Amino acid sequence: MTAITTPPDVRSRLALALDVDDLVEATRMARELHPYFGVAKVGLELFSAAGTDAVVTMTELGYKVFLDLKLHDIPTTVRKTARVLGAVGASYLTLHAFGGVSMLRGGVEGLRDGAAAAGLDSPCALAVTILTSDAGAPPHVLGNRVRSAVEAGCGGVVCAAGDVKEAKQLAPRLVAVVPGIRPAGADADDQARTSTPQAALDAGADLLVIGRAVTAAEDRAAAAAKLVESISI
Ligand code: C5P
C-alpha cells in the first residue's frame, strides 16, 4: 500500500480525469485516489453514462467537481444548460471558446444563476482555447480565444502548458487549467502538446488535469504518489 501525504496546496491543484463509462468504476477510482486529488473531472464519457448522478456522487466523496462537457451551441441553449449544471453543484464547467463571446457569456451567466438559485458558491466557467490534441492551430487563435474568455467573464481557460505564459500575459487573473500532463518519458497517447506536471506548474498552470498517466497505470495509487512526489511548489 502506498502511503504518502499530499500537501494540500498540491492536492487542490490536481484534477483526476474520470474517463470511464461506469459510475461504479469511477467511484472506485475516486475513492482510491482521493488522497492525491482535490478535483474530480467528469467528462463526456462518464456524463453520458451516468449524468448528473456522477456530479452528486463525486461531491459526496469530498471532491470539487469539474464538468468537462465543452459546451458549444447557440447562446440560449448554452445558458440554459449551464444553469442546470450550476444548480447540480459543478465547481468548474468547460465551454468552447470557439463558440464566441455571446455564447461564452450565456454559459458564464447561466452557470452563476443556477448555482445561486441552489444556494451554492459561484462556480468557475472555463473557456477551452485549443485542444491539447490539436497541434495545427494558427498562432493568433490562442490570443483571440483568451480575449473572448475575458470579455465574456469566464473565470479561467483550458490550454496546453506551452500556451499558459501567453494566456497569463493577456489575462493574468484567469485560472489556467492544463490537460495533456505526462510524467517524463511517458507515452503521449493522442495528445500532441504534453508537459510534465512540474513544467506545467512552472509555466503558471493553476490546475493540472491528470488522466491516463494515473488511471491507466497498473497500480494507480503508486502512479499518483509518484506524480505527487515529482511536484514541488
Ligand atoms: O488521459 P489524458 O491525461 O490525456 O486525459 C486528458 C483529459 O483532459 C481528457 O479527459 C480530455 O477530455 C481532457 N481535455 C484535454 N484537452 C483539452 C481539454 C480537456 O485533453 N483541451
Side-chain angles (χ1 to χ4, degrees):
M1 184 79 193
T2 319
I4 69 153
T5 306
T6 311
D9 52 346
V10 171
R11 188 173 171 274
S12 65
R13 292 171 77 172
L14 297 179
L16 174 65
L18 294 166
D19 292 331
V20 291
D21 64 1
D22 172 16
L23 187 52
V24 174
E25 171 60 7
T27 303
R28 193 176 292 132
M29 206 172 351
R31 276 189 206 283
E32 181 187 7
L33 298 171
H34 196 249
Y36 312 99
F37 292 89
V39 180
K41 188 173 86 73
V42 175
L44 290 168
E45 187 180 359
L46 182 57
F47 196 78
S48 298
T52 53
D53 284 355
V55 182
V56 174
T57 302
M58 295 308 145
T59 305
E60 284 173 359
L61 286 177
Y63 283 99
K64 280 189 168 188
V65 178
F66 174 171
L67 257 185
D68 187 15
L69 302 183
K70 300 186 180 70
L71 300 183
H72 184 193
D73 206 315
I74 60 169
T76 302
T77 301
V78 169
R79 176 186 297 273
K80 288 179 169 176
T81 305
R83 196 170 197 285
V84 174
L85 300 172
V88 171
S91 294
Y92 301 92
L93 173 69
T94 49
L95 315 162
H96 249 301
F98 184 56
V101 175
S102 304
M103 190 216 83
L104 289 172
R105 191 174 292 127
V108 167
E109 292 175 359
L111 186 65
R112 186 193 57 208
D113 293 351
L120 300 169
D121 290 343
S122 204
C124 181
L126 298 169
V128 177
T129 55
I130 303 164
L131 292 177
T132 36
S133 56
D134 182 358
H140 64 274
V141 171
L142 179 76
N144 288 348
R145 294 193 182 160
V146 171
R147 280 185 280 271
S148 296
V150 173
E151 201 182 329
C154 290
V157 289
V158 182
C159 64
D163 292 340
V164 173
K165 198 165 163 231
E166 186 183 340
K168 289 271 182 174
Q169 272 164 358
L170 290 165
R173 281 205 295 270
L174 287 187
V175 167
V177 178
V178 175
I181 301 297
R182 295 290 181 275
D187 197 327
D189 306 302
D190 56 348
Q191 299 283 18
R193 298 185 303 146
T194 60
S195 164
T196 64
Q198 189 64 50
L201 290 167
D202 290 345
D206 299 291
L207 183 65
L208 306 183
V209 175
I210 314 288
R212 286 163 288 186
V214 166
T215 59
E218 213 163 293
D219 183 341
R220 293 188 293 228
K226 204 167 162 205
L227 186 132
V228 164
E229 281 166 344
S230 77
I231 294 173
S232 66
I233 52 177

